[in-house]
Amino acid sequence: MKYQSLALLLLRVSLGWLFLYAGYSKFTAANGFTAKQFLLNLQGPFAGFYQVFVGNPMVDSLVVWGEILIGICLILGVLVRFSSFWGIVMMLLFYFAQYPPAHSFIVNDQLIYALLLVYLMVSNSGHFYGFDKILEKKFPKFKTLMG
């Protein structure tokens, strides 16, 4: 069990780092981050759905701050279920934006990230060297947000 907890911690922190770094690099981009070019170049079957988001500054902010906050939550082990849920939503939106994946018919990195977040969400990973266990004792009503 000790090694499983350590593996779960390493998975949670490393995935958190990926999110945090992705958001930070967008936040500090020289010309600012915008999803406009990405959205304009979509060609898959769901491209039309994403056209309503082109040029919307709220979408750009949600991507940047979503990645940063999800990363921080995963690294610290705080609100892991809640942040994992929103990470899954984000990854599935990214996945379907580029469907079908370039290197495979079904699987790509966004889908793998979403599946890893599902695992973190159901495994109580925030209890292993994270703040969720402490918060859960202090705020038992919010147990479903933590894990």
Side-chain angles (χ1 to χ4, degrees):
M1 187 66 161
K2 178 180 175 183
Y3 295 113
Q4 290 173 332
S5 298
L6 180 60
L8 194 56
L9 171 68
L10 291 173
L11 175 64
R12 191 189 78 219
V13 170
S14 61
L15 193 55
W17 176 253
L18 284 173
F19 272 90
L20 179 62
Y21 186 78
Y24 178 76
S25 64
K26 289 175 180 75
F27 181 74
T28 59
N31 297 327
F33 169 76
T34 180
K36 185 176 181 177
Q37 281 306 114
F38 170 77
L39 294 170
L40 285 173
N41 291 320
L42 296 179
Q43 297 183 1
F46 305 108
F49 168 78
Y50 290 91
Q51 296 311 304
V52 297
F53 303 120
V54 173
N56 186 332
M58 179 66 83
V59 170
D60 298 338
S61 294
L62 285 172
V63 169
V64 172
W65 287 105
E67 288 178 340
I68 289 171
L69 293 172
I70 290 166
I72 290 170
C73 286
L74 292 177
I75 290 168
L76 297 177
V78 61
L79 300 174
V80 171
R81 283 191 186 129
F82 183 74
S83 59
S84 292
F85 170 80
W86 289 110
I88 293 165
V89 169
M90 182 181 281
M91 290 299 103
L92 290 178
L93 285 169
F94 292 172
Y95 174 77
F96 286 110
Q98 300 179 65
Y99 190 83
H103 303 292
S104 170
F105 181 66
I106 297 175
V107 178
N108 72 358
D109 50 346
Q110 284 88 15
L111 187 60
I112 297 297
Y113 293 152
L115 293 171
L116 289 171
L117 287 164
V118 167
Y119 181 67
L120 292 179
M121 197 169 151
V122 301
S123 65
N124 286 332
S125 65
H127 289 165
F128 305 111
Y129 304 104
F131 290 102
D132 276 348
K133 189 173 188 175
I134 297 165
L135 290 172
E136 193 174 287
K137 287 179 183 176
K138 198 164 194 146
F139 305 103
K141 286 184 178 181
F142 299 106
K143 183 177 181 177
T144 56
L145 297 176
M146 300 168 233

